[in-house]
Structure formats: C-alpha cells, structure tokens
Amino acid sequence: MNQEGYAQYLKNDRNKPKTPRLQQLNTNLDGERKIQNNSIDGRAVVTSPQGLQHTPQFDNIQIFPTPMSYLPSSPIQGLGLSGIIPPAKQEKPSVYLPQTSEIHIKKRRDKVGALRNFELNEINNLNNQHKDSRNLDEVLKSEHRIVSELVPAPSISPQRISSLPTVGEDLEPLGLGTSSTKLDESSQISTDQKGIEINKFTDSNIDILEVFVPPQFDQTIKLNRIKQIGKGNFSVVELYQNLDQKPSNPNAKLVAVKKIIYPDNLFYLNHHGHNNELLSSFESSLTRELSVLQKLNHPCIIHLYGINNPIFLTDKTPLTTLLKQNNNMSNKEKPTVAGIPDCDIIISYCHGGDLLNALTECNGNLETQLVQRIFAELSLAVKYLHDNLIIHRDLKLENILLTCSLDEIKLKANNESERAHYLNTNIIQLTDFGLCKEIDNYDELCTARCGSEDYVSPEILMGVPYDGRLSDSWAMGVILYCLLEDRLPFDPPVNANIRQRRRATSHRIASFEWRWNKMKDINMVGKDIVNNTLTRKNKRWDINNIIESPFVTEVTKELTFI
Ligand SMILES: Nc1ncnc2c1ncn2[C@@H]1O[C@H](COP(=O)(O)OP(=O)(O)OP(=O)(O)O)[C@@H](O)[C@H]1O
C-alpha cells in the first residue's frame, strides 16, 4: 500500500492501525543508513551496512508507530530521556528501553494536557510495566514539556517560566544594570514575582564560571551567574554576566549558559563493561549540537560563545573519554558519574525567551506584521542551514528565541526613529541543534525517526526514509499555522466530538487532516505557505519556495542585516 493509500485507509476508523515501521538497522542517530534518493522511479534506495541495496516498501515495515503517546521524561529506569510507549501488540519486554531511532518527544504541555494526551489503557500499560520503577503519577507530576493547546493557564504549568523580563527591568533591582552599582555582600536566593529563581549572590566565586572562548578555545573569560531562565529535558539554562569589562564581542555582555543534565543512568556500564546505548546516543546528540554550532554563523541562529571544557568540542566521544579516565571505571556495577565534569555551553542570550512562551503571554494575538517578520527570519535561518547541508529536525515554537520582548519589538516596529534599527537587527534566533543532521548531498535521505510529535512530518511517522529538508519545511508549516491560528494544526479540531478528541495526533498527521479555523475566510498570502507545506512530500514546498513567496520577500527585501 502506498502512502496515499495508507492515509485513506487510516480515515476509516474501523481499520485498526497496524502499519508498520521500517525496520531500523541502527539505533543511534549517528548511525543512520546512507540512503540516496537516486533511483529512477523516485523511490529511495537503501544501502544496508553490508552494501546490499533494496527499495523500502511498506510491506517491509513491521511495527506501526501509532498511536504515538509519549512521556516527556521517561519513566523507564529513571533514565530521564524521552520515552516512547512500546507498541501494544509487541511482546512486552520487562523493561522497555527507548531506541534513539524512535521519536524523541520534546514537548511542553500543561499537566491537564499531558493527561488528555494519554490513552487510559496506555497509562495502565505503563503502570504495569514500570511497577518496579517510578510511579506514573510521579512522572506526570515531574513533567514540564507537553503541549497541545497553545494557551495553557500559567498556574497549571508551574515549571514553565512564564516570561522573561527585559534586561532593564530585571537587572536594575539586582544592582547589575550599571557598572557602578554596588553588589550585594551576601549570598541570597530569592524568587521574583514570576517564580524564577534569582541568585543575588555575586560576591564569591561559587557562581563564577571560567569558560574557554573561540576561535581557538585556548583563552578563558569569567562569567557571573544571575538567574535561571529556562529548562529543557536535558538542560537547565541560566543567565550569566560577562565579567570582562570590555568583551571582544560587545553582544556577549550577557550570555546564556546551557548546563547539560546527565540522565541518572548515563554512566552505568553493561555487563561487559561497555558503555550503554544511552551513553552513546546522549553523547552523539551533545557532540552533534556542539560541532554544528561551531560551524554556524548567521544572525538568526544562536551563537556559540564558549565552553567550560574544550574536550566537548575536540573529542568525538568526550564522555566516553572522560569515563575512561575516571577511577571508578574498574567497578562495573557502580555508576561512574562521579568525576565526570559538567558540560556548560555558552550561547547568545535572547531575553525575549522562546516563542511559545511569548505567544502564550499575548494570548496568541500576534499582529500579522510581526508573524511575517518572525517567519521571514526563521526562513532565512533554515535556508542558511539547508544551503550548508544541515537539517534541523526539531523546528518548533520552543526552539525559536526572541532577542527582545514582543512589546519592545512592537515599539521598535512602530516608532519611526527606531525603524532603521528594527530593520538592521534580527529579532529571532533558532536554537537546539541536538537532533540536527549534516548530510553529504541533497539526495541523501534520513532514516532516524526523530522530532517533536506535533511538528513531525507524515513520512517520519511512517518510518520510511525521508528528505530531511522537506520535513523541516513541514515543521515550518506547522509553526506558521500556529502563529496565524493560535493553535496546533493537528490538535483535535475546534468543537471536536469525543471520538475526534480520542483520535491520536499522529493519525491526523498521517492523513493530512487539518483545516483553517480563525483564518478560514481571510485572504492572505501567508496561507499559501501553510497550504503548500502541510501537504504530501511530492507536492511540498522546500525552503527555496518558501523564501521566494511574497509573504517572506515582502520582509526580507527590507532587512539590512543579511
Ligand atoms: N539562549 C537563550 N536565551 C534565552 N532563553 C533560552 C536560551 N536557550 C534556551 N532558553 C530557554 O530554555 C529553554 C530550554 O532550552 P533548550 O531548548 O535549548 O534546552 P533542551 O534541553 O535542548 O530542551 P529540549 O531538549 O527539552 O527541547 C528554551 O525553551 C528557552 O525557554
């Protein structure tokens, strides 16, 4: 059955999904098979590690990826990695270890949303499977990344940073706004009115980081911690101030430090004393992000300003190397996390926070002009990546950061005297390259099933080799739809009945089931982009089509920073 036929098939609810997933030969994102989209009939030719070629067919596919319900943090052995619920019909292993070739869900939802998105029987399955490990309630309580409706009440997502105050607002009371300000003498942790932990301590070296800076990463600078500004599944992000009075890069006076959180069991060794799969996949994600960040130089993409230990940039397997150096290595039963240094990545600070938060804060009421500007900058960033043979694979609202608050942006946009500056500076930066992939040529297809549930393309869901650039343009369609409609395109339709609500998001994605709501009767050029990206891959616009569309060119022709 071909993909279109399958979508039709799914439409009939009586047909229990049993569609299969292409058997994964590798489980590591780095171990994706080399696939060229070069066969005569346009079907991908897969080259197996043994050099054998075969054309993937749906008949080969063995496990259907849906219904896809995920836990933002895995309940499995407290791994702390995104987990996937094993397909119900598979023989259940006593402990299900997530495979890196499976989708990594990195989402942010309120608890209510989280529960809404779990089928009850799946919750029961999970509870049964993980009786011995963590209780599911605990897992749900600890979640912070989920998501569906775009506007959750702040009170039900306590771990979310609901806003990021501007530098001016925020630093002045802390005495950090001007260089002449006297700093507090004592260490004191307090909480500001938005619930963000603020460390007023500035007078000793416990919050001082010494980090290595580009280009050679042989010079160091000192940074002083100000406060936590964000939290991901694998990191805590904190704001630091550069203690260098005259930093070589004037934009780097305030920086964000992404402190990687190692999952609990990362450093367990298996019975043979080898590193486990979790370590190698975690490590490959980390080094992939760093190696790509080092190469990138685009105003609309986050900048790498430094690292606390150059080994993370120079060694392809830094954690394994550090582990080998660790004395505990000899004791194979014990976790050997002790002695492994933290990984702190110093990046540009975007004080407007992420776009999902910003959108939630303004109740989704973004002026079209602003939507257009944000989307145009995102298009420039993605075009730059694709031109450089890099696929992001995790484009979503949470990974688009604003360089200043929406109010500041609006002020600049509407003030004649600020207009030149507005056109000469970027307002977004794209971040989170943990799932990105460097391809060798434009015909190379990807096989790793990764991404975030609401943004993932049908071909990734189906488990067939896919053109990563087209999956990125699908995600861009989802983003633009969100900005225009203030909801996710593949959430249950507005006024959905119970049956529609129970349908998994992935089913709607696989059958291209989305429609305009707020924008239904509004005629605007931007709708073309959504119409032509949330569609079948053979008809889908790529980044060049997007960038050439009037919705984007109207903005880009005026920008002076590119
Ligand atoms: N440079 C930055 N400036 C301001 N805020 C940031 C910055 N980087 C990250 N954040 C905030 O921290 C959050 C988590 O960051 P990030 O997505 O990089 O972490 P992560 O561990 O890769 O997340 P996940 O894997 O869960 O997607 C972001 O959504 C954003 O709110």
Side-chain angles (χ1 to χ4, degrees):
M1 189 184 292
N2 66 18
Q3 199 168 338
E4 289 189 22
Y6 179 70
Q8 274 308 116
Y9 171 81
L10 269 184
K11 276 190 178 156
N12 183 349
D13 269 9
R14 279 173 304 161
N15 291 326
K16 276 260 177 247
K18 54 184 178 201
T19 315
R21 174 163 64 82
L22 191 69
Q23 192 175 16
Q24 297 286 329
L25 298 177
N26 291 302
T27 52
N28 194 305
L29 282 176
D30 279 351
E32 285 183 54
R33 286 160 295 153
K34 286 263 174 244
I35 298 181
Q36 293 295 120
N37 191 14
N38 55 5
S39 66
I40 299 162
D41 63 358
R43 291 166 84 183
V45 175
V46 177
T47 308
S48 71
Q50 291 78 28
L52 302 173
Q53 287 197 339
H54 69 274
T55 304
Q57 292 176 343
F58 282 89
D59 311 346
N60 298 342
I61 298 173
Q62 291 164 355
I63 306 159
F64 185 59
T66 58
M68 305 189 90
S69 298
Y70 304 92
L71 291 174
S73 55
S74 168
I76 302 114
Q77 294 183 316
L79 293 181
L81 264 187
S82 304
I84 180 171
I85 296 168
K89 286 189 180 160
Q90 265 192 311
E91 205 180 314
K92 286 177 199 144
S94 53
V95 174
Y96 180 79
L97 286 172
Q99 305 287 295
T100 46
S101 53
E102 290 170 344
I103 294 200
H104 291 244
I105 285 304
K106 308 199 289 172
K107 301 169 66 163
R108 186 163 50 194
R109 293 182 199 196
D110 56 279
K111 261 187 244 165
V112 174
L115 285 166
R116 215 177 24 233
N117 280 280
F118 272 97
E119 294 287 335
L120 267 180
N121 57 348
E122 283 163 351
I123 293 183
N124 290 337
N125 278 346
L126 261 177
N127 263 333
N128 292 338
Q129 272 172 43
H130 306 299
K131 258 190 219 134
D132 303 333
S133 55
R134 285 164 62 196
N135 177 305
L136 188 68
D137 289 345
E138 242 174 69
V139 174
L140 289 175
K141 251 183 249 159
S142 68
E143 284 167 9
H144 67 292
R145 303 262 295 179
I146 300 225
V147 169
S148 233
E149 309 297 332
L150 275 175
V151 195
S155 56
I156 52 175
S157 50
Q159 287 187 64
R160 287 181 60 181
I161 308 288
S162 56
S163 88
L164 286 161
T166 64
V167 175
E169 272 166 24
D170 199 36
L171 298 185
E172 289 299 334
L174 287 180
L176 295 171
T178 59
S179 52
S180 59
T181 330
K182 201 166 178 296
L183 304 173
D184 283 355
E185 293 290 327
S186 59
S187 174
Q188 183 187 348
I189 306 280
S190 71
T191 306
D192 74 359
Q193 77 272 27
K194 298 205 165 93
I196 304 171
E197 179 202 290
I198 294 176
N199 187 355
K200 291 191 178 177
F201 181 95
T202 48
D203 200 25
S204 120
N205 59 4
I206 63 161
D207 273 347
I208 305 284
L209 265 187
E210 186 163 7
V211 299
F212 293 85
V213 289
Q216 302 299 335
F217 293 95
D218 52 357
Q219 309 275 320
T220 60
I221 54 161
K222 285 189 175 162
L223 307 173
N224 184 34
R225 183 181 184 277
I226 297 173
K227 64 174 184 176
Q228 182 177 321
I229 49 174
K231 198 171 186 309
N233 284 317
F234 311 117
S235 66
V236 169
V237 183
E238 297 183 337
L239 175 62
Y240 273 75
Q241 183 195 29
N242 192 341
L243 289 178
D244 190 348
Q245 292 298 313
K246 289 187 187 142
S248 51
N249 183 342
N251 294 326
K253 281 184 187 149
L254 287 171
V255 291
V257 178
K258 181 166 169 170
K259 300 187 166 181
I260 302 299
I261 301 168
Y262 299 134
D264 291 348
N265 287 7
L266 188 63
F267 299 108
Y268 270 115
L269 302 179
N270 67 19
H271 298 306
H272 307 291
H274 296 128
N275 296 336
N276 58 29
E277 193 180 322
L278 174 65
L279 176 58
S280 70
S281 60
F282 188 86
E283 188 167 53
S284 74
S285 167
L286 182 63
T287 47
R288 191 177 325 110
E289 175 159 26
L290 284 168
S291 96
V292 165
L293 277 180
Q294 266 190 94
K295 293 176 196 161
L296 300 177
N297 181 14
H298 191 277
C300 303
I301 295 178
I302 213 85
H303 297 291
L304 177 69
Y305 283 149
I307 189 90
N308 65 326
N309 188 338
I311 192 171
F312 292 109
L313 299 175
T314 52
D315 196 316
K316 282 205 167 100
T317 54
L319 295 174
T320 308
T321 304
L322 290 163
L323 196 62
K324 279 184 189 150
Q325 292 165 3
N326 192 326
N327 292 339
N328 291 344
M329 179 76 180
S330 54
N331 188 345
K332 295 180 174 98
E333 296 308 312
K334 281 189 182 169
T336 53
V337 67
I340 300 296
D342 293 337
C343 176
D344 299 335
I345 307 169
I346 300 25
I347 49 179
S348 41
Y349 168 54
C350 296
H351 82 257
D354 70 68
L355 191 51
L356 178 62
N357 271 331
L359 207 57
T360 331
E361 287 245 305
C362 69
N363 290 327
N365 290 324
L366 272 194
E367 291 157 20
T368 311
Q369 194 197 10
L370 203 49
V371 170
Q372 207 170 349
R373 171 69 184 259
I374 291 170
F375 190 78
E377 287 194 23
L378 174 67
S379 307
L380 290 170
V382 174
K383 163 102 175 115
Y384 170 83
L385 292 178
H386 290 188
D387 285 352
N388 286 287
L389 297 170
I390 295 167
I391 298 155
H392 189 281
R393 299 202 289 195
D394 201 16
L395 297 174
K396 56 182 177 181
L397 294 172
E398 295 96 309
N399 288 337
I400 298 169
L401 301 176
L402 295 171
T403 54
C404 44
S405 71
L406 284 180
D407 286 343
E408 286 172 310
I409 296 171
K410 281 180 207 161
L411 216 66
K412 281 184 198 162
N414 300 322
N415 183 336
E416 233 2 86
S417 62
E418 296 264 16
R419 183 97 187 135
H421 180 60
Y422 175 67
L423 295 175
N424 198 28
T425 40
N426 57 304
I427 61 167
I428 70 147
Q429 287 200 323
L430 180 62
T431 190
D432 201 350
F433 287 80
L435 292 180
C436 75
K437 179 170 167 69
E438 292 183 77
I439 49 172
D440 293 334
N441 58 60
Y442 289 133
D443 288 326
E444 188 177 329
L445 299 179
C446 309
T447 54
R449 301 181 62 239
C450 60
S452 295
E453 191 183 28
D454 299 292
Y455 297 82
V456 86
S457 65
E459 58 274 15
I460 294 183
L461 277 182
M462 305 292 277
V464 293
Y466 60 94
D467 180 338
R469 293 170 305 150
L470 288 180
S471 290
D472 273 356
S473 49
W474 171 279
M476 290 183 71
V478 175
I479 290 170
L480 184 53
Y481 180 96
C482 290
L483 295 175
L484 294 172
E485 284 277 349
D486 184 30
R487 63 183 296 277
L488 284 155
F490 298 101
D491 268 358
V494 178
N495 303 326
N497 59 31
I498 293 175
R499 204 169 122 258
Q500 286 170 317
R501 287 207 162 262
R502 285 179 59 88
R503 219 160 123 72
T505 300
S506 47
H507 286 186
R508 280 186 289 272
I509 295 174
S511 45
F512 304 90
E513 204 179 297
W514 66 273
R515 66 174 90 107
W516 292 107
N517 180 44
K518 244 166 61 172
M519 303 293 295
K520 192 165 157 234
D521 300 316
I522 298 176
N523 196 6
M524 72 172 295
V525 281
K527 284 173 75 179
D528 270 13
I529 298 178
V530 180
N531 292 334
N532 288 294
T533 49
L534 297 187
T535 186
R536 294 171 204 295
K537 62 178 192 286
N538 53 347
K539 294 197 284 180
R540 195 176 308 155
W541 278 9
D542 64 14
I543 189 61
N544 293 316
N545 302 126
I546 295 176
I547 213 123
E548 282 157 16
S549 75
F551 188 71
V552 174
T553 51
E554 261 174 36
V555 175
T556 50
K557 69 176 186 225
E558 282 200 308
L559 297 179
T560 49
F561 63 86
I562 41 166

